[in-house]
């Protein structure tokens, strides 16, 4: 590596750090909101009310079958087209690329996670539901105490994959001007004329984060399943 | 407003269809390139050759661990700068720009290949080993065993997973729009810029992607039925 490049990269280090921090923020916030949304949608998806179940199914299908980029553009550019949106209380949020990205990512990961959660919920043995009912539990209590904890545990390995996919999807935030890791890398690559080195460096940071996530999920799996140790 | 989607005067219908054609072209080429790459990587992973196995592991781990967008940027901008460097060596001056189509196919296909590799490896491992031994006992050579016993069954086991990889690849093609290849997403972007109707055009693009995904999903389901003919199922 030649030294002007090295000094250029050193000068860009604070930018890389702030870009990584923004990536972490986007991913963490979207995953958190997405998980809440997904749990709700998964429950609706399994509802015995046909219209409710179909609505959940439609949402999942649409958001899983279209590119994330379309979803981001629809929210960032598309919604601003309507005067009703521009005059609404939500406009301060929808005007910001940051919140548009969060909304798009949340809706996207929510759809994928809902299917993962559905698998988890369906894997809970029915005998346990019957036992809980026999003990007098119903509705929310049954979900909170019996179904959801086991569903989460069951869904954890698949959810780990979804976390990684969300991390990779967060790179698209750079297309709507957010300077997260990929955005920073692109700007520095354009300035230093050394795209290969800069993008490889950004790739290494992503790999590092993926590795940490994989290890974290693995640890969580072991902690939640004492029997499998 | 809907005349903007039509084929006459102000309509963007024709461009949208052409963009969709380009999307299909990129997706199919990238998918095939990915299958080739993934097939080679899976073979290396399953081979006894240590160096090959490590190389294939490095490929799938890295490509599946970084965003597709970054792979596209790396191959596009990195490719341009490498091409410029080579051109300077050959005595040409000024920057060289590679054509977006082949680079886009290469980039999306490289990502697709990393996922295909894992799916194909899983499929190959599902073929009972006794069958390979039986083929050997019948006097089949390695190539013949591969062609007659291993490959057809690997493909059948891998088909559902390969369908997922296809859907992933189809959606990934939208990222190539950022390097100015005029596919569906890029047409929608240009159209909304010209007409100030972003909601209309991005919804249309979304619906077209939905149509492509649905249609190809049905094709894969058919292929699964075809590949599984004559196979008894545990449950249905």
């Amino acid at each position: 590596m030649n030294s002007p490049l090295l000094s250029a990269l050193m000068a860009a280090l604070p930018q890389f750090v702030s870009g990584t921090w923004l990536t972490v923020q986007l991913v963490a916030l979207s995953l958190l909101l997405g998980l809440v949304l997904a749990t709700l949608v998964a429950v609706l998806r399994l509802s015995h009310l046909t219209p409710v179940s179909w609505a959940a199914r439609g949402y999942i299908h649409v958001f899983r079958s279209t590119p994330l980029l379309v979803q981001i553009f629809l929210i960032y550019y598309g919604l601003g087209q309507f005067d009703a949106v521009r005059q609404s209380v939500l406009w301060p949020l929808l005007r910001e690329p940051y919140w548009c990205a969060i909304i798009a990512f949340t809706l996207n990961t929510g759809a994928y996670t809902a299917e993962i959660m559905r698998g988890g919920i369906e894997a809970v043995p029915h005998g346990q539901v019957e036992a809980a009912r026999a003990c007098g539990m119903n509705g929310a209590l049954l979900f909170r105490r019996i179904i959801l904890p086991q569903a989460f545990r069951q869904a954890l390995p698949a959810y780990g994959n979804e976390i990684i996919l969300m991390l990779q999807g967060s790179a698209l935030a750079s297309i709507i001007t957010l300077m997260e890791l990929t955005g920073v890398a692109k700007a520095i690559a354009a300035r230093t004329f050394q795209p290969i080195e800069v993008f490889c460096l950004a790739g290494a940071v992503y790999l590092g984060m993926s590795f940490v996530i994989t290890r974290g999920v693995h640890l969580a799996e072991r902690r939640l399943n004492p029997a499998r140790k | 407003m809907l005349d903007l989607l039509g084929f006459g005067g102000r309509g963007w219908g024709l461009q949208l269809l052409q963009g969709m054609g380009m999307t299909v072209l990129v997706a199919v080429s990238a998918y095939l390139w990915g299958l080739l790459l993934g097939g080679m990587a899976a073979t290396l992973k399953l081979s006894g050759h240590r160096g090959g196995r490590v190389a294939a592991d490095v490929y799938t781990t890295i490509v599946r661990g970084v965003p597709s967008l970054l792979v596209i940027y790396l191959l596009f901008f990195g490719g341009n700068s490498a091409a410029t460097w080579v051109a300077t060596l050959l005595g040409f001056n000024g920057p060289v720009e590679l054509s977006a189509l082949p680079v886009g196919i290469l980039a999306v296909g490289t990502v697709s290949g990393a996922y295909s590799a894992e799916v194909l490896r899983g499929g190959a491992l599902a073929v009972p080993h006794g069958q390979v031994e039986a083929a050997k006992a019948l006097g089949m050579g390695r190539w013949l065993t591969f062609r007659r016993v291993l490959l057809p069954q690997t493909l059948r086991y891998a088909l559902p997973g390969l369908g997922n990889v296809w859907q992933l690849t189809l959606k990934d093609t939208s990222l190539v729009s950022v390097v100015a290849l005029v596919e569906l997403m890029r047409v929608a972007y240009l159209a909304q810029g010209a007409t100030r109707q972003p909601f209309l055009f991005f919804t249309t693009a979304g619906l077209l992607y939905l149509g492509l995904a649905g249609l190809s999903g049905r094709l894969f389901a058919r292929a699964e039925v075809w590949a599984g003919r004559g196979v008894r199922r545990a449950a249905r």
Side-chain angles (χ1 to χ4, degrees):
Chain A
M1 213 184 258
N2 47 344
S3 63
L5 173 67
L6 199 61
S7 56
L9 285 183
M10 285 310 281
L13 198 64
Q15 268 180 289
F16 258 102
V17 172
S18 75
T20 308
W21 171 232
L22 183 55
T23 291
V24 171
Q25 266 182 51
L26 288 170
V27 173
L29 200 52
S30 312
L31 282 173
L32 202 69
L33 296 171
L35 190 62
V36 176
L37 177 68
T39 310
L40 195 75
V41 173
V43 172
L44 296 179
R45 166 82 173 72
L46 291 168
S47 154
H48 292 296
L49 288 170
T50 319
V52 173
S53 153
W54 275 94
R57 209 180 281 209
Y59 156 70
I60 293 170
H61 178 68
V62 166
F63 278 85
R64 291 208 319 167
S65 308
T66 54
L68 177 55
L69 191 58
V70 174
Q71 296 158 23
I72 294 177
F73 277 1
L74 251 182
I75 290 166
Y76 183 60
Y77 295 109
L79 290 182
Q81 178 187 331
F82 301 108
D83 280 336
V85 175
R86 284 173 167 273
Q87 257 114 50
S88 76
V89 283
L90 288 175
W91 184 237
L93 281 187
L94 291 171
R95 198 172 48 190
E96 296 291 332
Y98 180 83
W99 289 106
C100 285
I102 296 274
I103 294 169
F105 292 163
T106 300
L107 289 171
N108 186 269
T109 186
Y112 282 93
T113 311
E115 278 300 270
I116 296 172
M117 286 298 295
R118 179 174 70 95
I121 291 174
E122 283 181 340
V124 177
H126 197 250
Q128 298 205 15
V129 178
E130 283 167 9
R133 285 244 159 83
C135 289
M137 287 191 202
N138 56 10
L141 195 63
L142 175 72
F143 258 99
R144 191 158 58 82
R145 287 225 185 123
I146 308 294
I147 297 179
L148 286 184
Q150 297 189 78
F152 274 121
R153 190 197 291 170
Q154 186 75 32
L156 200 55
Y159 189 60
N161 285 340
E162 174 54 27
I163 297 178
I164 305 260
L165 287 179
M166 189 66 257
L167 172 65
Q168 299 181 0
S170 72
L172 300 196
S174 64
I175 299 176
I176 51 169
T177 71
L178 285 175
M179 290 307 267
E180 45 65 79
L181 188 47
T182 302
V184 166
K186 193 170 177 241
I188 297 175
R191 205 170 56 215
T192 59
F193 296 110
Q194 303 282 357
I196 299 177
E197 290 85 345
V198 174
F199 287 130
C200 282
L201 185 64
V205 178
Y206 276 111
L207 270 183
M209 288 198 273
S210 298
F211 180 75
V212 171
I213 292 167
T214 315
R215 295 304 306 167
V217 171
H218 199 72
L219 265 173
E221 255 175 73
R222 284 178 54 138
R223 285 196 62 143
L224 289 175
N225 281 346
R228 270 199 223 152
K229 259 182 195 164
Chain B
M1 190 172 87
L2 280 177
D3 64 321
L4 289 174
L5 298 177
F7 290 89
R10 309 191 298 142
W12 284 77
L14 189 64
Q15 282 95 323
L16 283 169
L17 277 188
Q18 281 169 344
M20 199 158 92
M22 185 58 105
T23 289
V24 172
L25 175 72
V26 173
V28 170
S29 322
Y31 186 64
L32 292 178
W33 164 240
L35 274 183
L36 189 74
L37 218 55
M40 290 196 296
T43 314
L44 282 177
K45 274 175 184 250
L46 293 169
S47 76
H49 192 275
R50 185 134 189 268
R53 213 167 55 210
V54 171
D57 279 340
V58 166
Y59 161 58
T60 54
T61 310
I62 289 186
V63 173
R64 292 191 310 156
V66 304
S68 318
L69 186 62
L70 201 66
V71 177
I72 291 173
Y73 280 155
L74 177 66
L75 289 184
F76 190 75
F77 295 110
N80 279 346
S81 99
T84 307
W85 183 73
V86 171
T88 324
L89 284 188
L90 295 174
F92 294 101
N93 277 323
V96 178
E97 202 164 285
L98 298 172
S99 164
L101 179 62
V103 179
I105 291 173
L106 190 77
V108 176
T110 304
V111 176
S112 170
Y115 289 92
S116 294
E118 296 300 331
V119 171
L120 289 171
R121 190 177 67 94
L125 285 175
V127 178
H129 192 67
Q131 296 201 10
V132 179
E133 283 167 11
K136 208 178 266 176
L138 287 172
M140 289 193 198
R142 284 180 62 160
W143 171 241
L144 199 63
T145 309
F146 174 75
R147 193 163 58 85
R148 286 223 186 123
V149 180
L150 222 46
L151 187 64
Q153 297 195 84
T154 298
L155 285 180
R156 177 163 64 82
Y157 287 125
L159 207 47
L162 289 179
N164 287 341
V165 176
W166 161 257
Q167 300 282 354
L168 210 78
T169 308
L170 178 63
K171 285 183 279 174
D172 263 359
T173 60
S174 67
L175 302 184
V176 185
S177 64
V178 299
V179 292
L181 182 73
V182 187
E183 41 68 80
L184 180 50
M185 201 61 215
R186 183 79 190 154
V187 173
Y189 190 83
L190 295 173
Q192 65 90 22
T195 60
R196 307 212 164 276
Q197 296 283 344
F199 193 82
L200 175 71
F201 281 103
F202 289 134
T203 306
T204 308
L207 288 175
L208 291 175
Y209 277 110
L210 213 57
L212 284 178
L215 193 72
S216 51
R218 197 163 292 182
L219 286 179
F220 267 95
R222 265 201 180 172
E224 267 177 57
V225 171
W226 174 81
R229 71 202 184 288
V231 179
R232 210 192 306 165
R233 299 222 184 108
R236 58 154 55 250

